[in-house]
Amino acid sequence: MPQDNSQAIATESPLAKCLLVDDLEENLLALEALLVDEPAELYRARSGIAALELLLEHDFALALVDVQMPEMNGFQLAEIMRSTEKTRAIPIIFITAGEHDKRWVFRGYDAGAVDFMFKPLDSHVVRSKVRAFLELHQQKRLLEEKVEALRRTETELARALRVRDEFISIASHELRTPLTPLKLQLQMLRRAASAGFESFPRERLEKVLETSDRQVNHLSHLVDDLLDVSRISLGKVSMNTGETDLSEIVRQVVEQFEDELLNAQCHVDIQITPKLVGLWDKDRIQQIVANLLSNAIKYAAGSEIVIRTQRAGERAQLIVQDHGMGIPDERLPHIFDRFERAVPERSISGLGLGLYIARQNAALHGGDIYVQSTLHEGSTFVVTLPLRHESGAAQRETR
Ligand SMILES: Nc1ncnc2c1ncn2[C@@H]1O[C@H](COP(=O)(O)OP(=O)(O)OP(=O)(O)O)[C@@H](O)[C@H]1O
Ligand SMILES: [Mg+2]
């Protein structure tokens, strides 16, 4: 695409605005002619009043003000500028006929923010003075930008630290949650064992083992997620691609979640396009489907969940739609980030990692994931994966 450089430069650093104030047209024309090559946008006013109107409307870097004007003279204009917040800091160069004007005292005006030029104007003096003020203005602007950037970085850093600290507290809590019932089950088994398993019916033993199994699974999922995230941040992910059927995976994952679905009273409506085969990493695709489905179960309990797979040109799409609590607009940009959650801490269990991992997994395949959500109505997550993904295909596409 052809680039409009002038536009780019103009938006990056807009020209400084310079105000010329003089009651005589020929003086204004002469000043404009002198300053035509300077990096400034020139504005002109034929009176103090006209100047004030412009001053309120624009942000000026500098004002060149003729001292001798009828009605409001240059010094009176300066007094008003000095007493107005918006115009207080604008440097002024007075243009005057006589040296005696220099004795004029500016109450409260910073030295350095005021200068004088004497008639007849020396073109060299005019240009170099104006240039010096414009450079000062430019430096001030750069400094302000740097301060602003620094302030932003600081805020981001503080936020990242806060999120990390919160995460550590949530993670420890989450890891302990399955440990408590697990300990209880073990105690029970120990007691039963010491009594030689008398009075401990087989069904009860099976139930204990089942519960323990569930807790251990839950624990290892949590630990796997944590390991995954640390691998991702260290850039140490490996891919194991092979012919993978997305629709088949959806079926398997839904089956794995049978108990959870039942407990949450969620009905799943599966609308799959059979044989949606791509060269993908099976485990990672499974992880995406599992993370989206487990979210739907957690955040949309009791509602109907629709899972659809479909072909969209050269891409496969997975859509997981629920009619649950939805996500507040202001949280939407964050939920795919590490440790970010959109529910109050500990109201519903979770580490805030599922969507981050899902997005990373999609990206590893050259695909992506996005969400549409309305608070209290529900959410729809859409994952798109290229059907023919060779290694390096992602780079080629973005070139
Ligand atoms: N289907 C959904 N409906 C409403 N909110 C959702 C849904 N899916 C995700 N969210 C919101 O996005 C946040 C991030 O989701 P993510 O899956 O990354 O983390 P989590 O579910 O909180 O924890 P984890 O998946 O690590 O156990 C959730 O905490 C939740 O607030
Ligand atoms: Mg989740």
Side-chain angles (χ1 to χ4, degrees):
M1 209 175 78
Q3 253 193 320
D4 184 346
N5 279 329
S6 61
Q7 181 75 27
I9 290 166
T11 42
E12 233 172 57
S13 155
L15 274 183
K17 293 178 179 179
C18 184
L19 178 63
L20 313 176
V21 190
D22 201 310
D23 57 316
L24 297 177
E25 176 70 17
E26 61 263 35
N27 289 350
L28 285 173
L29 283 173
L31 272 177
E32 279 170 345
L34 278 176
L35 298 175
V36 69
D37 288 331
E38 298 309 315
E41 200 179 336
L42 302 179
Y43 286 74
R44 43 152 62 206
R46 290 280 300 270
S47 68
I49 296 293
L52 284 173
E53 273 171 21
L54 284 171
L55 280 161
L56 288 180
E57 194 180 329
H58 301 272
D59 290 322
F60 285 103
L62 174 65
L64 272 66
V65 178
D66 182 36
V67 171
Q68 268 186 345
M69 291 188 293
E71 286 157 31
M72 185 192 294
N73 73 31
F75 294 143
Q76 287 164 327
L77 172 60
E79 287 279 18
I80 296 174
M81 283 171 69
R82 170 66 195 132
S83 63
T84 309
E85 183 60 39
K86 186 176 183 335
T87 53
R88 175 166 304 171
I90 300 174
I92 300 177
I93 302 179
F94 289 110
I95 301 170
T96 167
E99 186 76 29
H100 61 276
D101 275 341
K102 209 171 175 178
R103 291 194 301 272
W104 206 83
V105 186
F106 298 96
R107 269 153 300 186
Y109 234 113
D110 291 342
V114 169
D115 207 340
F116 288 85
M117 290 193 300
F118 301 100
K119 291 176 186 172
L121 291 177
D122 173 333
S123 61
H124 180 72
V125 171
V126 173
R127 284 201 201 99
S128 55
K129 273 198 186 204
V130 166
R131 209 167 289 163
F133 274 108
L134 289 178
E135 263 164 30
L136 212 70
H137 176 76
Q138 174 69 3
Q139 275 164 14
K140 192 171 148 236
R141 196 156 63 185
L142 287 177
L143 204 71
E144 278 166 2
E145 273 168 21
K146 280 195 185 131
V147 168
E148 175 58 19
L150 216 66
R151 208 188 50 73
R152 268 204 305 271
T153 315
E154 225 168 75
T155 324
E156 274 162 27
L157 219 67
R159 197 186 118 74
L161 281 178
R162 203 181 54 243
V163 169
R164 193 200 58 183
D165 289 346
E166 276 168 19
F167 169 74
I168 291 173
S169 114
I170 292 173
S172 356
H173 179 81
E174 286 287 310
L175 289 170
R176 219 181 53 194
T177 305
L179 278 180
T180 313
L182 205 55
K183 268 192 197 152
L184 284 176
Q185 310 291 336
L186 275 176
Q187 274 169 18
M188 208 188 299
L189 280 182
R190 189 188 298 257
R191 270 202 302 274
S194 61
F197 285 104
E198 283 165 26
S199 75
F200 203 83
R202 193 187 163 77
E203 306 90 74
R204 189 138 170 241
L205 183 63
E206 265 165 20
K207 198 145 187 348
V208 168
L209 290 176
E210 202 180 290
T211 317
S212 309
D213 231 24
R214 220 183 19 249
Q215 305 302 344
V216 170
N217 273 341
H218 184 49
L219 257 180
S220 53
H221 269 137
L222 289 173
V223 175
D224 282 351
D225 277 1
L226 287 170
L227 278 175
D228 239 13
V229 167
S230 91
R231 271 197 293 264
I232 292 169
S233 16
L234 293 171
K236 283 189 184 157
V237 277
S238 56
M239 289 274 276
N240 184 12
T241 49
E243 284 209 345
T244 307
D245 185 345
L246 177 62
S247 300
E248 187 51 39
I249 288 184
V250 166
R251 231 182 263 134
Q252 288 167 4
V253 173
V254 172
E255 217 175 281
Q256 280 164 21
F257 276 88
E258 207 176 11
D259 288 348
E260 279 98 329
L261 284 163
L262 215 64
N263 283 339
Q265 299 186 316
C266 284
H267 173 257
V268 185
D269 181 5
I270 308 180
Q271 308 174 357
I272 49 183
T273 305
K275 289 252 164 289
L276 215 47
V277 180
L279 272 184
W280 302 315
D281 181 319
K282 190 161 184 273
D283 292 343
R284 294 191 181 282
I285 302 297
Q286 225 157 21
Q287 214 176 5
I288 297 177
V289 181
N291 288 353
L292 293 183
L293 184 56
S294 82
N295 279 351
I297 293 171
K298 272 200 290 189
Y299 306 110
S303 89
E304 161 146 311
I305 301 168
V306 181
I307 304 189
R308 187 180 316 143
T309 60
Q310 62 192 28
R311 193 184 295 271
E314 294 284 280
R315 299 175 158 247
Q317 271 184 342
L318 164 72
I319 298 161
V320 180
Q321 181 181 30
D322 67 55
H323 301 89
M325 59 173 65
I327 301 162
D329 277 350
E330 71 276 9
R331 297 299 303 148
L332 282 177
H334 302 290
I335 56 168
F336 292 99
D337 292 340
R338 271 192 312 179
F339 316 141
E340 294 280 359
R341 310 197 66 210
V343 284
E345 193 184 332
R346 290 179 197 176
S347 63
I348 297 176
S349 78
L351 292 176
L353 293 179
L355 289 178
Y356 171 73
I357 292 171
R359 188 181 63 176
Q360 298 294 329
N361 282 350
L364 281 171
H365 291 87
D368 57 30
I369 175 170
Y370 70 87
V371 60
Q372 255 176 342
S373 187
T374 309
L375 197 59
H376 308 311
E377 285 183 20
S379 315
T380 305
F381 288 85
V382 180
V383 182
T384 307
L385 297 166
L387 277 166
R388 263 184 262 140
H389 182 267
E390 305 132 43
S391 59
Q395 286 96 307
R396 269 206 296 285
E397 270 162 27
T398 52
R399 202 192 291 166

